[in-house]
Amino acid sequence: QESKTKPHSLVNKRLTSFLKTKDGQITVGLVREFLEFFELDFTCSVFDPETNVLKSYKGRNQLAADIGLKDNTDTPLLHDVLQQLRNASPTPATP
Amino acid sequence: QESKTKPHSLVNKRLTSFLKTKDGQITVGLVREFLEFFELDFTCSVFDPETNVLKSYKGRNQLAADIGLKDNTDTPLLHDVLQQLRNASPTPATP
């Protein structure tokens, strides 16, 4: 009774609606760029059809621009996002 | 001449050294949690052996704690990380 067994598409509904949002596309793009960065070719070859990510993912440069990151590091962008978050020290001071 | 054909391990060297750092483990954990969240079972079944992620990934709760996120959203943690980054508005004001 799950949509997993649909013959014409492996993409599930929850993911499909997530991918309709810009943030969703950026999120899945970060995952895709991670796989690409580490040359996880076996995973990519399953991930791409299972998510349909290539519809929205336009490569690392574009993704970095979408997030507002400089694409000048030797790490996956996802790692840079974490670093940025840490540098921004978002913990709200509880008065 | 690539390490990809090693019979006993699919894990590549660059990823292996990345995974030795705490930030590396968090990064790969965010990817793993994303796959799990959307029930991308086919991808997981390739991703897990290709990355050896399960050595360090201890589930969403632990990952959220490691990042300092509250685990109370209905989205993948990776999405929450992006949101936090946006809320923290890290763009330094250039005087």
Side-chain angles (χ1 to χ4, degrees):
Chain A
Q1 62 255 45
E2 284 274 85
S3 63
K4 272 178 207 165
T5 47
K6 269 207 275 179
H8 59 290
S9 172
L10 294 169
V11 178
N12 60 55
K13 278 183 197 160
R14 190 149 70 144
L15 180 59
T16 305
S17 53
F18 185 67
L19 285 179
K20 281 183 183 149
T21 66
K22 184 70 186 168
D23 270 0
Q25 290 171 13
I26 289 177
T27 306
V28 78
L30 281 169
V31 173
R32 182 52 163 75
E33 195 270 331
F34 176 91
L35 302 179
E36 192 180 289
F37 184 90
F38 286 114
E39 297 175 324
L40 298 171
D41 299 336
F42 299 115
T43 303
C44 268
S45 69
V46 184
F47 181 74
D48 291 352
E50 198 172 27
T51 59
N52 237 336
V53 60
L54 297 184
K55 259 192 178 173
S56 57
Y57 179 66
K58 305 297 176 206
R60 176 178 167 116
N61 285 350
Q62 185 57 52
L63 182 63
D66 285 348
I67 305 170
L69 283 176
K70 278 183 189 153
D71 177 15
N72 57 5
T73 62
D74 191 30
T75 48
L77 288 183
L78 177 46
H79 182 262
D80 301 350
V81 165
L82 271 178
Q83 291 294 319
Q84 282 252 7
L85 182 61
R86 208 152 290 165
N87 294 341
S89 58
T91 42
T94 42
Chain B
Q1 62 258 42
E2 285 274 83
S3 64
K4 273 177 205 165
T5 47
K6 268 207 274 178
H8 58 289
S9 173
L10 294 169
V11 178
N12 60 55
K13 278 182 197 161
R14 190 149 70 144
L15 181 59
T16 305
S17 52
F18 186 68
L19 285 178
K20 281 183 185 152
T21 67
K22 185 69 187 168
D23 270 1
Q25 290 171 13
I26 289 176
T27 306
V28 78
L30 281 169
V31 172
R32 181 52 163 76
E33 195 271 332
F34 176 91
L35 302 179
E36 190 180 289
F37 184 90
F38 285 114
E39 298 176 326
L40 297 170
D41 299 337
F42 300 115
T43 302
C44 268
S45 69
V46 184
F47 181 75
D48 291 352
E50 199 173 24
T51 58
N52 237 337
V53 59
L54 296 184
K55 258 191 179 175
S56 56
Y57 180 66
K58 304 296 176 207
R60 175 177 167 116
N61 286 349
Q62 184 57 52
L63 182 62
D66 285 347
I67 305 170
L69 284 176
K70 278 183 189 154
D71 177 16
N72 56 6
T73 63
D74 192 29
T75 49
L77 288 183
L78 177 47
H79 182 262
D80 301 350
V81 165
L82 271 179
Q83 291 295 318
Q84 281 252 6
L85 181 61
R86 207 153 289 166
N87 294 341
S89 60
T91 43
T94 42

